[in-house]
Every structure is written in structure tokens, then in C-alpha cells.
Amino acid sequence: MTVSVGPAAVAQRLRDGMAGGVLSFPLTAFRDDGTLDPDGYRAHVAERLAAAPGAVFPACGTGEFFSLDEDEYRQVVTITVEEAAGRVPVVAGTGYGWAQAVRFARIAEDAGADALLVLPHYLVAAPQDGLVAQLEQITARTPLPLIAYQRGQVAFTADSLRRIAALPNVIGLKDGHSDLDRLQRLTLAAPGDFLFFNGASTAEIQARAYATVGVPAYSSAVHAFAPEIAGAFFTALRDHDHGTVDKLLRDFYVPLVELRDRVPGYAVSLVKAAARLRGHRVGPVRAPLTDPSPADLAALTALLTAGLDLVGASL
């Protein structure tokens, strides 16, 4: 069961966790026939937790939330809570329209999650009043603290940020736009205890830039398959070891992003393929995503081997 009680307690645990480690987004394990692999997922989550993340976010974008039915979602969140055992906060993904988001929220609550990450709503663009109303509807129907995720068609103005920050259960914002001008305006508009973190696809690339506008915390897809690299980067960034940061960016993260950008969906597919290369039983991605081509998998293998060598680890 969850350790924290109330939004303020959850926010403080997240704040403490973000100061000490990256935010981990585990991969949902599927068998070759596309069915959920609970045992494979449990092993994967246990390994992520052993690498000391600041918090763990099951069933979010990297975890293919959009591909899970409600029973699968329940299993994923329940396993994560069981494995975390109160050591770190568990923030489950939810999304679609508010009515469906509430169904997932109630499942996450029953499973013992500490909070929810509200993923961008499905398909349509919406005005600012609608973006605020989406969160109003969800927070009115669940006691769990909410973190809003702005990405794609969701982008809050400073006025809207003030409105959502005033809602009783909204404790933070994950940013995936990387518009630092807009983000700076949002951080200035928010109350002092409001949480922000960098949620760019490969957040390490922009971690230093985000820190300059007061957002040093970030999620790490690399933590899902190479916590040695993710940990080395986090430590170097925290210690202002710019030489190591530059080397890891130049020789691993930038080439990874260039490979990721070859095919839509590789932000998840490459991460899952890299985890399989490390021996994790996470299986393939589900359609509409596709697994990497043989040529791209070979390039990923070479890059991962080189990246691990940079930090004294091996494939």
C-alpha cells in the first residue's frame, strides 16, 4: 500500500526523490504473442528499483499506456506498488478523456499508487478552458495527487497554470515541449511548492538548459535499459562535471537521439530493444509501434556497447 497520505506528503516525497535520482519509466513486458507478461514485468521493475530511481512511473508513455486494457493496467500498477514496497513513490499514468482517465485513476488508487501522471488527452486540440476543465473533472473524482503532462496538443499558458495549481490535488507539471521561454513563464506563475520536471523524449540532452529555468529534475528513458549510463550522467550533472556530461552527450545521448528520430515510435521501440539487448524479458512493442529494423538494431547494439564502455560497464 502507499506510504504517503495527502498531496503535500506525496509532493515532498517526489521532491526528495527527484533531488537524489532520475525518474524511472519502466517498460511494460509483453510475450511474443502480444499478451502481457506479468513475471517479465515484475523482474524488469525490480531491476529498475535496484538502480535507485527517485520515483517510478508505471503505465506511462514508455510503458505503452495507450496499448493496455484496464485489467492489464491493474496488473502493471499492482506489481509496481508491490515491488516498490513504499521505498519510492509510484506515479501511474492515466489519460484519454476525463471519464476514461477517472476509470484508470480508480484502478490505480485501488492498487495503491501514490499519484497519477495525466497524459495528454486523445486526438483533438482544445482551448485553455478545456485543458483546465479536464483536470478539474479528474481531480474532483479521485483523491490521488495529479501531475499534468504538457506535450503534443496540451500546452498551458501561465494563467492556466495558475488555475490548475490552485486545484486541491494538482501538484506538478511534466513538460515535453522543451519551449524554455514558455516554461520559464510557467515556473514564475506557479506557487513555490509546485513540482516541475523535464519530460523531453531524451531528457538528458536538454537537462542543463532546463536547469537554468529552475527545472533540474528529469525523466530518463535510458534508465530503463542502462541505469549505469543514466546514473553516471545524473551524478556528473549534479556535480557540475561538465567534461563528463559533454562526453556522455556527444558519444552516447546525441547519437541515440539521432537513431531514435529515424522512425516514428522509436522513442519507445528503441528503449525496449535496448532492454532486450541487456537480457530483460520485456518482449516486443505492441502495434501501432514497430520494433527496430535489423540495421537499426545493429546500430543500437554498437551504440549501447560504446555507451556502457564509457562508464565502465558492459553489454
Side-chain angles (χ1 to χ4, degrees):
M1 293 296 291
T2 182
V3 171
S4 302
V5 178
V10 175
Q12 187 58 54
R13 286 191 71 212
L14 283 167
R15 186 175 293 106
D16 293 343
M18 291 190 298
V22 300
L23 305 175
S24 180
F25 287 69
L27 300 155
T28 299
F30 299 120
R31 302 184 183 94
D32 289 342
D33 65 1
T35 58
L36 184 70
D37 181 358
D39 292 338
Y41 179 72
R42 186 180 294 277
H44 175 67
V45 169
E47 290 166 343
R48 298 315 94 213
L49 290 165
V56 61
F57 288 66
C60 293
T62 304
E64 298 179 75
F65 167 78
F66 50 85
S67 291
L68 301 177
D69 66 27
E70 292 181 12
D71 181 63
E72 291 169 333
Y73 176 86
R74 183 186 303 277
Q75 293 182 68
V76 165
V77 178
T78 298
I79 289 169
T80 309
V81 171
E82 290 173 350
E83 291 299 315
R87 291 175 289 167
V88 296
V90 175
V91 184
T94 190
Y96 306 116
W98 66 260
Q100 187 64 40
V102 168
R103 291 176 66 92
F104 283 103
R106 288 172 177 160
I107 293 170
E109 181 186 351
D110 289 344
D114 293 282
L116 298 165
L117 178 67
V118 182
L119 303 172
H121 64 269
Y122 172 68
L123 190 61
V124 295
Q128 291 294 310
D129 284 347
L131 298 180
V132 173
Q134 165 88 336
L135 291 172
E136 289 174 339
Q137 294 289 347
I138 298 170
T139 196
R141 290 166 172 80
T142 177
L144 289 180
L146 307 181
I147 298 171
Y149 187 6
Q150 64 168 19
R151 189 188 186 96
Q153 68 270 36
V154 176
F156 294 101
T157 63
D159 179 64
S160 294
L161 190 283
R162 294 186 190 97
R163 293 168 65 189
I164 67 171
L167 295 173
N169 286 1
V170 178
I171 62 172
L173 178 76
K174 177 182 179 182
D175 175 70
H177 283 295
S178 303
D179 180 341
L180 296 185
D181 180 286
R182 175 188 289 269
L183 185 60
Q184 182 71 90
R185 296 169 191 267
L186 297 183
T187 61
L188 293 172
D193 59 351
F194 200 72
L195 301 174
F196 287 91
F197 64 92
N198 166 6
S201 292
T202 305
E204 287 91 343
I205 291 286
Q206 300 180 65
R208 281 188 294 200
Y210 268 82
T212 65
V213 296
V215 184
Y218 61 91
S219 59
S220 175
V222 172
H223 192 271
F225 62 87
E228 305 96 326
I229 299 173
F233 184 90
F234 179 87
T235 299
L237 186 69
R238 180 196 61 197
D239 296 345
H240 306 288
D241 179 357
H242 296 297
T244 299
V245 169
D246 287 344
K247 185 172 183 58
L248 289 170
L249 288 175
R250 181 176 55 249
D251 296 340
F252 177 74
Y253 283 100
V254 169
L256 180 65
V257 169
E258 291 172 349
L259 182 59
R260 181 201 71 199
D261 290 346
R262 291 182 184 178
V263 177
Y266 266 18
V268 176
S269 301
L270 281 182
V271 173
K272 212 163 196 183
R276 292 195 301 272
L277 289 172
R278 300 297 306 280
H280 302 306
R281 200 177 87 189
V282 295
V285 292
R286 274 183 175 172
L289 301 181
T290 59
D291 288 309
S293 68
D296 289 342
L297 184 59
L300 177 63
T301 303
L303 177 58
L304 179 54
T305 300
L308 290 167
D309 185 64
L310 291 173
V311 297
S314 62
L315 190 61

